[in-house]
Amino acid sequence: MTNSPIWWGVLLGAVFCFGCAWRLHTKSKHETAVLLLVLGGFLLRLFSANDPFLNPWDERFHALVAKHMMSYPFRPMLYVHPVLPYPPEDWSANHIWLHKQPFALWLMSGSMKLFGTHLLALRLPSVLITTLGIGAMYGLGKRLYHARIGFVAAFLWAIHGMLVELAGGRRATDHVDAVFVALILFGAYWALRAAQQKRIGFALITGLLTGLAVLTKWLPGLIVLPVWALWAIHYRQHSWKSWLGHGLLMTCAVFVVAAPWQIYTHQAFPVEARWEQYYNYLHLFEGLEGHDQPWYFHLNNIRILFGEFIYLPLVWWAWVALRKRSDASRWALLVWIAIPLGFFSFAATKMPAYILISAPAIFLITALAWQHFKIYQYRFGRWRRLVQVFIMGLLLLPVRYSFERLKPLDRDEAAWAKRIEVEGLRQTSPADSVIYFNVPHPIETMFFLGGTAYGYAPAPQVVDSLRGQGYRIIVRE
């Protein structure tokens, strides 16, 4: 984190915006309050995105592939010119890189194409798309319930620690998950409109956004479709024929958006595509890359992601849904949470961000619980003080988590030292002709300097052979 006065001003500006937003919210000026939430959320993400060096997992790999996609948008590559043998199945050292779906990488690539190959341009799409999510979160809550619910849910989205970290590239899966969660939220917003108004255009937009979610991080993006199905049942705007027809239209739109890339990669890069397909399957039954966790990992982790009090709103909402089983809109939120929670709890490979696709539903339920217990706290008699602590905790615990994840007091000398170390290797020769050996940060070296870089030195005869081919060889001692 860059501890300059400018960045401290950015952080304090975000805090000021949030404070003013809450003040306007109490005066029922919800739209103006949400605009301030959006501004504050943008500043918070900008603060998170100012790290001076690429983050190790997984931003550095996404950044390098996105950089190469500036020139080869349909040929995702980690090493453009691999001069040493490599295992095609090793996504951290291979040539053709299909470890992630391409949409988030295209956004990052396009941003760097427009604004230059630097870190802020790399992170800008995640910053912007999760900032837009604040407005979408408000719109979803307002359309489902009330502007007050939408505001509280939007506030929780705006300050959520992991969402802010993902936008800044600081957590594993970084920008891919940031774009993925935002697209699911956008899809859900238009799914609600499609359920409420029975317009083919809204159904088509829902399908296209869901298709982009699939094209960002594969099949979990389909969670939007069962949520829409339950909302459509609840609002009763559809006959069974139109319900099935709109559902089929959405599914076809998803296929049209997501399928061409799958077909293309299996034809153009069959070895890598088949391996990644198999590797996705292995996630279900093997704890890959050190991510083997017990079955209750996600159930336990939601207290960290959403505050220690989150279990009470979830239990309360399940009880509310069971009291009126015919209200499909209540079940829609539960399904939005239960399907990802159940699926990823079953899968052997578990990572904290997997469950974030349920974040919008959890924010809405938290906002509903906050509003309900705030209104009816007087009914709890002598337990009223405990209820008030619960009400405050629903908002303050996520704020605390956000502060912990931002780490505003941490200094970044180590990151700057790595950046200076990499820049010290820069050569005057054309980048494509330079090969760096035995460097401590090979992926980052290729991003900042170009050329080809490895973290080890090959045999001397290999080095001599490469020099004979016209390469400039830099071997770090």
Side-chain angles (χ1 to χ4, degrees):
M1 182 57 58
T2 303
N3 298 110
S4 71
I6 292 175
W7 289 110
W8 273 108
V10 169
L11 181 60
L12 292 175
V15 173
F16 177 76
C17 287
F18 292 140
C20 292
W22 271 98
R23 184 172 180 82
L24 290 170
H25 164 69
T26 59
K27 297 179 179 180
S28 297
K29 298 179 179 179
H30 303 297
E31 276 69 27
T32 307
V34 170
L35 288 176
L36 284 172
L37 281 186
V38 170
L39 178 57
F42 172 73
L43 293 175
L44 210 60
R45 284 152 177 78
L46 203 60
F47 183 82
S48 177
N50 83 91
D51 291 343
F53 200 62
L54 288 168
N55 294 285
W57 298 102
D58 302 309
E59 187 186 44
R60 55 179 171 170
F61 299 101
H62 298 157
L64 184 58
V65 176
K67 177 187 176 183
H68 294 155
M69 291 176 90
M70 294 166 62
S71 301
Y72 308 97
F74 302 112
R75 189 178 177 85
M77 292 177 287
L78 189 67
Y79 279 80
V80 175
H81 303 294
V83 297
L84 299 181
Y86 63 91
E89 66 276 7
D90 184 358
W91 62 266
S92 66
N94 63 3
H95 172 45
I96 298 298
W97 200 86
L98 301 179
H99 191 59
K100 292 290 191 298
Q101 294 286 313
F103 184 66
L105 302 172
W106 282 333
L107 291 180
M108 295 154 65
S109 175
S111 178
M112 289 190 289
K113 192 86 170 176
L114 285 173
F115 303 112
T117 308
H118 55 80
L119 295 179
L120 188 56
L122 168 75
R123 295 162 181 161
L124 189 60
S126 299
V127 169
L128 292 179
I129 199 168
T130 56
T131 299
L132 291 174
I134 300 168
M137 192 73 252
Y138 171 73
L140 184 63
K142 181 180 178 182
R143 280 188 165 274
L144 265 175
Y145 302 107
H146 189 275
R148 293 189 186 90
I149 302 301
F151 175 84
V152 175
F155 171 74
L156 292 170
W157 174 285
I159 58 97
H160 190 262
M162 181 169 277
L163 285 174
V164 172
E165 274 195 304
L166 290 172
R170 294 179 170 186
R171 290 296 292 266
T173 66
D174 52 85
H175 309 293
V176 173
D177 266 344
V179 173
F180 185 53
V181 176
L183 286 171
I184 287 174
L185 172 59
F186 299 156
Y189 171 79
W190 286 100
L192 178 62
R193 297 199 65 176
Q196 290 176 333
Q197 298 180 353
K198 191 186 171 182
R199 292 177 60 176
I200 290 177
F202 291 165
L204 183 60
I205 293 172
T206 303
L208 293 175
L209 288 167
T210 304
L212 290 177
V214 172
L215 200 58
T216 301
K217 206 178 176 186
W218 203 221
L219 297 180
L222 295 175
I223 187 62
V224 173
L225 299 183
V227 173
W228 165 82
L230 288 168
W231 279 336
I233 291 171
H234 170 75
Y235 288 106
R236 299 180 180 180
Q237 297 296 309
H238 292 270
S239 65
W240 281 106
K241 287 184 178 179
S242 69
W243 185 80
L244 290 172
H246 280 223
L248 181 61
L249 175 63
M250 292 179 191
T251 305
C252 290
V254 171
F255 183 84
V256 168
V257 171
W261 180 257
Q262 321 312 320
I263 297 169
Y264 164 70
T265 53
H266 275 79
Q267 290 180 344
F269 320 111
V271 173
E272 292 84 357
R274 282 196 299 268
W275 167 254
E276 285 300 337
Q277 189 175 38
Y278 176 64
Y279 199 66
N280 285 335
Y281 167 79
L282 286 181
H283 281 70
L284 296 176
F285 304 106
E286 295 183 21
L288 302 174
E289 301 168 15
H291 298 297
D292 185 15
Q293 301 289 347
W295 68 267
Y296 54 83
F297 171 79
H298 292 297
L299 197 60
N300 175 61
N301 199 53
I302 59 174
R303 67 180 172 81
I304 300 172
L305 294 179
F306 302 103
E308 287 80 356
F309 289 172
I310 191 58
Y311 300 107
L312 292 174
L314 295 179
V315 171
W316 167 74
W317 189 250
W319 176 74
V320 167
L322 287 170
R323 283 185 63 195
K324 194 172 182 181
R325 294 179 178 84
S326 61
D327 189 340
S329 70
R330 296 176 180 177
W331 287 101
L333 295 185
L334 288 179
V335 163
W336 195 344
I337 297 169
I339 290 179
L341 184 60
F343 177 79
F344 290 120
S345 294
F346 166 78
T349 300
K350 297 178 176 67
M351 294 180 68
Y354 283 178
I355 204 65
L356 275 187
I357 62 174
S358 300
I362 293 175
F363 293 151
L364 287 170
I365 290 173
T366 303
L368 287 162
W370 181 82
Q371 180 79 358
H372 175 85
F373 288 99
K374 184 169 176 285
I375 292 172
Y376 295 108
Q377 58 181 290
Y378 67 90
R379 293 185 178 180
F380 291 86
R382 60 178 181 167
W383 302 105
R384 183 178 176 183
R385 294 297 181 191
L386 280 177
V387 174
Q388 290 173 339
V389 170
F390 168 66
I391 292 167
M392 289 188 294
L394 287 179
L395 300 184
L396 293 181
L397 289 172
V399 169
R400 181 213 66 192
Y401 176 65
S402 180
F403 184 83
E404 289 176 352
R405 302 319 309 165
L406 277 171
K407 301 179 178 65
L409 301 179
D410 284 4
R411 302 188 65 84
D412 56 3
E413 284 86 354
W416 275 114
K418 293 176 184 177
R419 180 70 180 270
I420 292 169
E421 184 177 23
V422 168
E423 292 291 344
L425 298 170
R426 189 178 293 277
Q427 303 295 311
T428 56
S429 305
D432 289 345
S433 68
V434 181
I435 302 175
Y436 303 90
F437 286 121
N438 206 35
V439 294
H441 311 291
I443 301 298
E444 295 89 333
T445 298
M446 288 187 284
F447 178 82
F448 288 111
L449 307 184
T452 303
Y454 293 93
Y456 59 93
Q461 56 268 33
V462 174
V463 173
D464 292 340
S465 173
L466 291 170
R467 282 199 175 105
Q469 297 174 42
Y471 289 106
R472 178 173 173 79
I473 307 299
I474 308 296
V475 181
R476 183 178 178 275
E477 299 299 331

